[in-house]
Every structure is written in structure tokens, then in C-alpha cells.
Amino acid sequence: MKDGFIKVAACTPEIQVADVDFNVDKIISQLEKCSEEGVKVAVFPELCITGYTCQDLFFQNALLDKAMEGVVKIAKTTADSDMLVAVGVPVRANGKLYNCAAVIQDGEVRAFVPKTHLPNYNEFYEARHFAPYRGECAAIDLREYGQLEFIPPMEQTVFVCEEIPELVVGFELCEDLWVADPVSNYLAKAGATLICNLSASDEVIGKDSYRRQLVSNQSARLVAGYIYCSAGDGESTQDMVFSGHNIIAENGSILAESRLFENGITISEIDFKKLAFERRKISTYPASAEWDYSSKDSGFLDKDNISRERFSLEMGETALTRKFAKTPFIPSNQAERNERCHLILQMQSHGLMKRIAHTHSKTVVIGISGGLDSTLALLVCVMAMDLLKRPHTDIVAVTMPCFGTTKRTRSNAEILCEALGVTFREVDISKAVLQHFEDIGHDYNDHSVVFENGQARERTKVLMNIANQVSGMVVGTGDLSELALGWATYNGDHMSMYGVNASIPKTLVRHIVQYYGDTCTSDTLRDVLYDILDTPVSPELLPTDESGTEMTQKTEDLVGPYELHDFFLYYGIRWGFEPSKVKRLAKYAFEGDYPDEVIDKWLKTFYRRFFSQQFKRSCLPDGAKIGSVTLSPRGDWRMPSDAVAKLWLEDIDK
């Protein structure tokens, strides 16, 4: 359970209809496997002890008695385990029969949670056998079936973990999710962070996709973990077929999913600290109710008739099996990635279009270095002009070679501008920078920060003044990763009149440019974009070699790999994970790519720079939010510029 991870399972055993002994043995066998895997919450299908398709056999006392014996037998096998288990069973209470989840832990049946919404349409006839739950309660006496110490209630209940307060487990059954107002809505309002659904969903064409979307969307709406466990092989095929479709989701993301028509166990880990963080962050998320344990007089499914029970788990480190993408900002699926890149370009260009129209700018002015960021910004400028139905010549692209500019980047900048049909200008700033060094008494051979920043600020001055010349506005090129690290010269490339890349992380910039190259119709444009993609990232502020072809300054050698920093940014800032947790996930995701000490080094660099460079973010130019992470002081991120990083740096060394 370290870092909030809890291992959970959706289990679909083979069953035989009405053969309780057979079914119980199969359930116990899967529970033993779950225990070996370290599972802490295991969910089985609806009515799995008897079989969902027993039909009028549910009227037979022999079956119902045997089912109760079976649930007690299952409970007794959990005596040496702290696993919280839910199995489906028919329960007699209040002169009616209820479709219930039997919640089991520590050798006892702790509660029976009844189904609220009974389908009685198409192929379903549950109301013929079962009563819907309407807030009534009952005590289920299991003494004659072998459970002597505890008489469990039948009522809607959430289970609160003593050791991990973020883990609160609620239960609904099949149709309870499919209705307009799902039971899980109320469970989440009562504090549930994990919803367990015991289901017997038959398979028809297209239903698996709908089911997957339903579970994903509900987990996202509730900001919750969701275990959906469905009946499979062994249910009657007289009129239906069951596929055993099991799904584990977390806040809209599918963590694990079974293949259709394969009984078995689906396992993953849900991060409950992550869910708790997101709920705290969302100001409209309802607070858990203040509980009055004695009151049962309120209406159906409100805070007063959802009981709270406590359960305990043995603490330990959860072995991780779920995937953590090395590049969390980038979809792994090619089609989805292309769709994402297309949408981002649309968002960037529409944002710039609005700003150009509002300011009545005759031109836009952009510095072109032959690198990735300025290339993406230029492509966005071109798309914005297309939206405005204005010529590309209204874009003034300025290349400003100096001491560190290589022949490759200089050539690529010119080819790119020519291929796009924009107005191209070259302003060699070498003389101006040398004059400035002379004015302030700086030795050219001193390649300190003055040497580098003098060039960056000169370039920004040139762009601003050209913009005045041509009645234009300067478009910024810096990206989100650079903003996080403060990898920009204050009042140099840090400044513009509108920053189109301010919400795009460096790893994603590369894929957007790649997408543009893959989909453009010009061979010349495609070739130069591909060459820019192959060029190392560099500010080119230190002198080149004598031939002028080789860079002597590569950003990732100095500040660290951007794929690591974007990983740190996503989990450390977007999700608020402790640095020690970010480190654990980075070592897990990048195993074999970076030694542990390298990850430690760059993680410390990330937090040290993130804190020390906030002053640059506090006065950022305007730029539209594109993704879930933005560092605009007017948007998602407000942080004092003099905050101290000590706590975060110490946590890395825990």
C-alpha cells in the first residue's frame, strides 16, 4: 500500500448452474491465487454462488440454503487473509428475496449489500424472483449455516479502511450502474473512492464497447477506482451468452481488462492517493457527509441509510504490474496520437487567430532558429493566417545568427521559411552583441551566463523592434518543459506578446512537428521538418567548432533528458505526487534506460529549478491552455516566487 497503491482483482470463475459446491470450490481456488498475488480487494460476479441464470430455481429453498452455506464456507477460508472480498448470492430477508453482494473479510460475512435496480426488460426478468432494495434493513442470521460470531446486516454499506483513509469501498450490482442515476453516485457522495460492481452482463454485438465506455466514464465522473466483474463461462446459454468481461478503471483510465470469453482473474493497482488529490483539487466535488450512525429515518439512498463499516489491511509495499508510460503526455496508440496532434494544432492556431484579429496586427513576427520549438510556433502562425484567409507573407520570420549558430540550423531555418512562403529576414546580431560586451566591459572569451544571455536578450530586442516596424506582434516559441525548468533567459526568449507553445511539453512538441511532416503535401517541407527533428536540442549560445557545423552546447547534456523532466512534471506537478513516489515510478517506468543515480540526479535538478525559477513564470506572456498541465500564473498554477524547495529535495532522499 506504499504510495497509495492497492492491488485489486476482478475474478470470473467457471461455474455450473445451481451447483453451489462446484461454484464455491472454484471461487475459493481463485481467492487463493489472489492471495498469492497480494490482492487486497477481490470482486466476483453477480449471483456467482448459484449462477445468475437459475431462473425459477431461485424459488427453491434447497438452493437458497445451500447458497448460504456456500458463502459462509468462502468466508471461513479468508480467516488468515485481510483481503476484502465480494461474492454474489441470493438472500432471503423481510419476506422477500434480494440479489446481494456478500462482503467478506477475516473469516466472516461482514454485510450483504442488496441490488437497487432490477432489470425487467428484453432478456432480463429479475423482478420475477427478486425484490428491489428501497432502503430497508435486515439482520441475516447465519448461525444455522456455520457463522456464529457475527450477524451481518443487509443494507447499503461503504467500508472504510483504518490504515488508508483514502480507501473507501462501495458496492453496486450490474443494473445499478446502467440506470440514469447510478447507485455509485450516492456511494461516492458518501466518500467511496472504490466502486465494486458485481455483474452478470450478457454479451450482444457492440455491448462490450458500450460497457467499457460506461465503466470508464463513471469512474471519471466520480473520480474513483472502479472494478467491474461479470459472469462468464458456465452460465446457462439457453437464451444468453456471458463473456466474463472484467474491467478495472481509475478516473477514466482503463488499467486492466480481460479478453472476452476467457474466465480468469484480472488484476491491477489503483492509486487512492491520486484519487484523493484530484477530489481535493476539484472544488465542486461534494464533501463526504457527516455521519449520524443512529438515524435511519431519511429518504432512500441518502447519507443516513448508507452505513459505514471499518475494515483493516496489513500495510506493505504493493508490487506494481500496471503500466506507467514513459511519455505520459503522448498517447501510445498511433491513431490517437495523430488525432491529439491535429487537435492541438487547431487549438494553438485558433488561439493565435483570435489574438491577431483582436490586436489588428498587420503581421506576426517570430524568431526562427531551425529548432523544434520555433518550427512548431511558425507552423501555428501559418495555420492562423490560413484561418484568417491572409497571405503567409504577413508572417515575418527572423533568423538571428550569432556565435553558436550552426550551418545546419541556419540552412534549415531558411528552407523552412521558403517552403511555407513566409517573409524571411536575417539579422546577424554578432556585431551588436560584441558592441554590448564592450559597453558593459565583458570579455568575449568569458563564456559565462552573460555571454549567453546577452545574445538571447539581443534577439528579443530585435524581434520587438521589427514588430514595431511592421505593425506586428511577437509570437513566443518557448514550451511548457522549458517553463517548468526555467530554461529561458529572463526578458530574452522568456518574453513575447503571445506564447503559442506555453502549454506544450517538449516531448509532445516533437510529435506534433512529426505529425505535420507526415501529413503535409510538400516534399521540401517534409524533408526539412524531418531534419529539424533529427537536430539535437540546443540554445546555440556558445561558439561552434571551427567548421561551424558542430554544436558545442546540447540542452539535455546540461539540464537533463526532457523525457525524464516531462515525466517528473506530469506526476509531480499535475498529480501532486511526493518526490519519493515520482522517483519510484520513474525507476519503474524507465527501468533499463537510466541508472537509479541518474534519475535521482535529474529529479533533484527538476525540483531545484522548478522552485528557483518560479519568478519567470510569475510574469508570463499570454498563451492558451492546451492540456491538463499549464503553469500560467493566471490559470492553473499559482506559486510564490520565493517558496523553498527543501521539503521536496529531502523527500527524494528518503
Side-chain angles (χ1 to χ4, degrees):
M1 280 80 73
K2 179 184 176 184
D3 299 320
F5 291 108
I6 306 293
K7 194 176 292 291
V8 301
C11 308
T12 299
E14 178 190 358
I15 69 158
Q16 293 182 1
V17 178
D19 189 344
V20 174
D21 287 336
F22 179 90
N23 300 341
V24 166
D25 287 345
K26 294 297 183 180
I27 291 169
I28 291 173
S29 176
Q30 287 196 337
L31 280 176
E32 290 170 349
K33 292 178 181 177
C34 286
S35 182
E36 292 171 3
E37 294 293 330
V39 170
K40 295 299 181 182
V41 180
V43 183
F44 287 79
E46 180 180 17
L47 295 169
C48 60
I49 287 181
T50 58
Y52 176 79
T53 49
C54 286
Q55 299 189 57
D56 285 359
L57 293 178
F58 283 125
F59 293 129
Q60 296 289 312
N61 283 328
L63 180 67
L64 301 178
D65 287 338
K66 191 66 176 178
M68 281 301 174
E69 290 178 13
V71 77
V72 171
K73 181 179 179 181
I74 293 169
K76 287 182 177 180
T77 66
T78 70
D80 297 325
S81 169
D82 62 350
M83 193 187 326
L84 190 70
V85 179
V87 296
V89 62
V91 176
R92 289 166 293 189
N94 301 325
K96 300 290 184 181
L97 185 65
Y98 294 88
N99 181 346
C100 289
V103 183
I104 294 166
Q105 195 196 35
D106 291 334
E108 291 184 330
V109 180
R110 298 284 305 278
F112 291 98
V113 178
K115 187 172 183 176
T116 299
H117 301 284
L118 303 181
N120 217 52
Y121 56 88
N122 296 340
E123 65 267 41
F124 299 107
Y125 296 95
E126 283 190 36
R128 177 180 175 91
H129 312 108
F130 299 102
Y133 177 64
R134 289 293 179 263
E136 61 272 31
C137 300
I140 309 300
D141 192 344
L142 297 179
R143 285 176 292 184
E144 63 179 294
Y145 304 109
Q147 177 164 311
L148 303 178
E149 300 298 324
F150 181 77
I151 297 178
M154 186 204 74
E155 59 186 344
Q156 187 53 262
T157 306
V158 295
F159 288 79
V160 183
C161 182
E162 295 271 13
E163 294 77 13
I164 308 171
E166 296 92 348
L167 174 58
V168 182
V169 187
F171 300 89
E172 61 183 358
L173 287 88
C174 201
E175 190 77 3
D176 289 345
L177 168 63
W178 297 69
V179 296
D181 190 16
V183 169
S184 46
N185 291 355
Y186 298 89
L187 298 174
K189 289 178 183 179
T193 53
L194 175 61
I195 306 298
C196 302
N197 188 308
L198 293 75
S199 182
S201 181
D202 65 325
E203 203 59 56
V204 295
I205 295 298
K207 194 173 183 180
D208 61 325
S209 296
Y210 183 83
R211 188 188 297 119
R212 185 183 303 109
Q213 292 174 353
L214 188 65
V215 171
S216 172
N217 290 341
Q218 186 68 349
S219 73
R221 290 178 64 247
L222 301 182
V223 191
Y226 203 106
I227 307 173
Y228 185 94
C229 183
S230 193
D233 186 35
E235 290 288 356
S236 172
T237 58
Q238 179 178 3
D239 293 299
M240 293 181 284
V241 174
F242 295 84
S243 65
H245 191 189
N246 295 339
I247 304 167
I248 299 175
E250 175 190 274
N251 194 21
S253 298
I254 302 296
L255 301 181
E257 183 177 6
S258 67
R259 298 178 63 177
L260 298 184
F261 303 106
E262 289 187 6
N263 291 354
I265 304 172
T266 303
I267 295 176
S268 190
E269 301 81 41
I270 295 176
D271 187 347
F272 289 95
K273 285 192 174 181
K274 179 181 177 182
L275 295 172
F277 168 84
E278 190 71 351
R279 286 188 177 186
R280 290 193 304 268
K281 188 176 180 182
I282 299 173
S283 60
T284 53
Y285 202 93
S288 299
E290 293 295 327
W291 294 94
D292 178 357
Y293 296 100
S294 62
S295 173
K296 298 293 179 185
D297 299 329
S298 301
F300 174 53
L301 277 183
D302 65 15
K303 72 179 181 69
D304 290 317
N305 62 16
I306 299 179
S307 297
R308 286 167 74 91
E309 296 289 338
R310 299 194 177 275
F311 73 104
S312 184
L313 292 177
E314 182 180 346
M315 298 298 291
E317 182 166 334
T318 301
L320 297 177
T321 61
R322 61 184 282 187
K323 302 295 184 183
F324 291 90
K326 298 177 185 177
T327 52
F329 292 104
I330 303 167
S332 58
N333 177 272
Q334 180 70 48
E336 186 180 349
R337 185 161 63 245
N338 288 344
E339 184 179 351
R340 176 79 55 86
C341 291
H342 177 76
L343 176 59
I344 290 171
L345 284 167
Q346 293 290 315
M347 295 173 71
Q348 288 178 281
S349 56
H350 276 79
L352 180 58
M353 175 190 71
K354 165 67 175 177
R355 181 53 57 96
I356 294 170
H358 176 73
T359 57
H360 305 289
S361 296
K362 293 182 179 179
T363 65
V364 293
V365 178
I366 182 171
I368 295 298
S369 67
L372 274 175
D373 288 344
S374 64
T375 296
L376 175 57
L378 180 59
L379 296 175
V380 171
C381 290
V382 167
M383 293 178 66
M385 287 302 180
D386 288 344
L387 291 170
L388 291 165
K389 301 187 181 339
R390 289 173 54 174
H392 294 180
T393 50
D394 285 353
I395 302 167
V396 180
V398 186
T399 185
M400 295 164 281
C402 199
F403 316 126
T405 304
T406 61
K407 293 177 181 178
R408 179 183 186 180
T409 55
R410 165 63 183 79
S411 174
N412 280 342
E414 185 169 2
I415 295 170
L416 177 66
C417 293
E418 184 177 326
L420 292 171
V422 304
T423 301
F424 178 72
R425 290 182 62 172
E426 179 176 335
V427 179
D428 191 319
I429 64 169
S430 302
K431 290 182 180 179
V433 173
L434 287 172
Q435 180 62 54
H436 179 63
F437 288 166
E438 182 180 339
D439 292 342
I440 66 172
H442 182 77
D443 183 357
Y444 171 84
N445 295 310
D446 177 3
H447 295 166
S448 63
V449 67
V450 177
F451 183 89
E452 297 186 45
N453 287 352
Q455 298 170 71
R457 292 194 177 100
E458 180 64 27
R459 287 183 171 126
T460 299
K461 182 180 74 173
V462 169
L463 292 175
M464 292 289 181
N465 290 336
I466 288 178
N468 290 157
Q469 277 184 334
V470 296
S471 300
M473 58 179 288
V474 177
V475 174
T477 63
D479 64 53
L480 178 66
S481 307
E482 293 176 342
L483 291 175
L485 294 167
W487 194 250
T489 298
Y490 191 84
N491 206 32
D493 53 315
H494 158 258
M495 192 48 60
S496 67
M497 296 170 183
Y498 194 77
V500 294
N501 293 340
S503 191
I504 316 295
K506 182 76 78 177
T507 50
L508 185 53
V509 169
R510 176 171 296 278
H511 284 275
I512 299 172
V513 174
Q514 177 80 49
Y515 166 77
Y516 199 102
D518 292 343
T519 56
C520 71
T521 56
S522 165
D523 291 340
T524 301
L525 179 56
R526 183 183 304 110
D527 289 344
V528 72
L529 290 176
Y530 287 170
D531 195 62
I532 289 169
L533 285 162
D534 289 337
T535 304
V537 177
S538 172
E540 294 191 322
L541 294 174
L542 294 180
T544 65
D545 65 351
E546 292 183 2
S547 68
T549 58
E550 292 297 325
M551 295 174 179
T552 58
Q553 185 183 32
K554 296 180 181 179
T555 298
E556 291 183 294
D557 291 344
L558 301 170
V559 78
Y562 274 116
E563 65 175 351
L564 282 180
H565 286 306
D566 284 357
F567 188 93
F568 302 155
L569 174 65
Y570 182 78
Y571 288 107
I573 305 305
R574 165 62 182 92
W575 289 107
F577 288 178
E578 302 92 332
S580 55
K581 183 174 179 177
V582 176
K583 179 171 74 170
R584 177 190 180 191
L585 297 186
K587 291 179 178 180
Y588 177 70
F590 290 97
E591 185 178 7
D593 295 338
Y594 298 101
D596 289 356
E597 61 270 18
V598 171
I599 291 175
D600 285 358
K601 172 187 174 181
W602 294 124
L603 183 59
K604 289 178 181 178
T605 296
F606 175 83
Y607 278 104
R608 186 164 51 246
R609 291 193 65 94
F610 188 84
F611 275 78
S612 68
Q613 301 295 299
Q614 171 62 27
F615 73 99
K616 295 178 183 177
R617 298 188 292 267
S618 293
C619 55
L620 280 181
D622 290 356
K625 177 179 178 178
I626 300 297
S628 62
V629 183
T630 178
L631 297 175
S632 168
R634 299 168 299 277
D636 288 19
W637 190 255
R638 291 166 176 81
M639 172 181 172
S641 298
D642 48 7
V644 178
K646 179 175 178 287
L647 179 65
W648 286 261
L649 293 173
E650 288 177 347
D651 189 71
I652 295 172
D653 293 325
K654 272 187 178 179

